[in-house]
């Protein structure tokens, strides 16, 4: 459904019915301007027997509207407005990759609202960019196009056609096991919003650093990451887990940037066990 949130239409899906007795879980996708609710649906939709699972295309992504600003402050405000729209006082906050940035920002800004935090392949600051560039250049899967790699990482995409080309050039880096036959379909499946991406990568990321706020996060926290994640390497998740009190870190040995897609059964069980023990049984 399309829901008007803070002056912008968002494409929203609420899984698990409208039983107010179920806790709310909001899951935020990654890749502003590329991502959509399909990613968190695959990662967290299985929890709809226990939670009301709210997934959505963020402002400037997927089928949602493109009303700026595309800032962390606005995206966090949109999350809280969705919580209110769903009629919940508290929630489990989940996010992967760039969505993990926003999940952590939300937990820091609204500590009394968050029952638990679930993170997937994310980073506490923008220092991972240097490692990501080095990993891309060292990979045997692609012959790096320096112009495309630099422009997509720095947020200097020219238009949506250029965005598509740049995305296709680095997509082979994301998986633990590379399937060349899947690339074309994955590129075709995306709604491209180059202006959203450019602002996220050329403006937002330059000042992104939640490390000072992470020690204040008191809710149960699960940090997950694929062992061969090229863009937000394991060290990023280790830093997050070291800064949040009693955080649990789980590394998926046969995954790249997306354990929910590469090791779905194990990922689902790890997340379910964590939330049952730390939220539902409390």
């Amino acid at each position: 459904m399309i829901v008007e949130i803070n002056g912008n239409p968002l494409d929203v899906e609420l899984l698990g019915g409208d039983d107010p007795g179920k806790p709310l879980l909001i899951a935020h996708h990654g890749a502003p301007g590329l991502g959509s609710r399909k990613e968190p649906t695959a990662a967290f939709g299985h929890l709809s027997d226990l939670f009301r699972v709210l997934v959505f295309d963020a402002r400037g992504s997927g089928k949602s509207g493109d009303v700026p600003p595309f800032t962390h402050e606005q995206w966090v405000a949109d999350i809280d407005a969705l919580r209110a729209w769903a009629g919940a006082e508290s929630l489990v906050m989940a996010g992967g990759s760039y969505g993990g940035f926003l999940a952590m920002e939300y937990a820091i800004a609204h500590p009394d609202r968050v029952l638990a935090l679930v993170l997937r392949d994310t980073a506490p600051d923008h220092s991972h960019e240097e490692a990501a560039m080095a990993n891309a250049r060292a990979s045997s899967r692609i012959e790096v196009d320096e112009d495309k790699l630099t422009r997509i990482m720095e947020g200097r995409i020219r238009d949506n056609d250029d965005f598509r080309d740049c995305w296709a050039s680095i997509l082979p880096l994301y998986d633990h096991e590379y399937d060349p036959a899947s690339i074309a379909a994955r590129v075709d499946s995306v709604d491209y919003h180059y202006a959203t991406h450019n602002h996220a990568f050329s403006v937002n990321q330059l000042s992104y650093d939640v490390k000072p706020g992470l020690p204040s996060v008191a809710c149960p926290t699960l940090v997950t990451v694929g062992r061969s994640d090229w863009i937000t390497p394991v060290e990023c998740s280790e830093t997050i887990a070291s800064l949040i009190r009693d955080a649990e870190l789980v590394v998926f040995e046969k995954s790249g940037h997306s354990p929910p897609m590469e090791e779905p059964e194990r990922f689902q069980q790890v997340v379910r066990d964590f939330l049952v023990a730390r939220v539902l049984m409390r």
Side-chain angles (χ1 to χ4, degrees), residues 94-117:
S97 195
Y98 203 110
F101 300 178
L102 302 174
M104 288 183 280
E105 297 241 32
Y106 185 88
I108 292 166
H110 301 280
D112 295 336
R113 297 284 189 196
V114 184
L115 300 170
L117 182 62

Side-chain angles (χ1 to χ4, degrees), residues 10-11 29 35-38 55-59 61-64:
L10 296 185
D11 189 12
H29 65 77
S36 74
R37 61 185 171 86
K38 289 182 287 188
V55 293
F56 65 106
D57 294 348
R59 178 183 299 259
S61 294
K63 304 296 185 186
S64 291

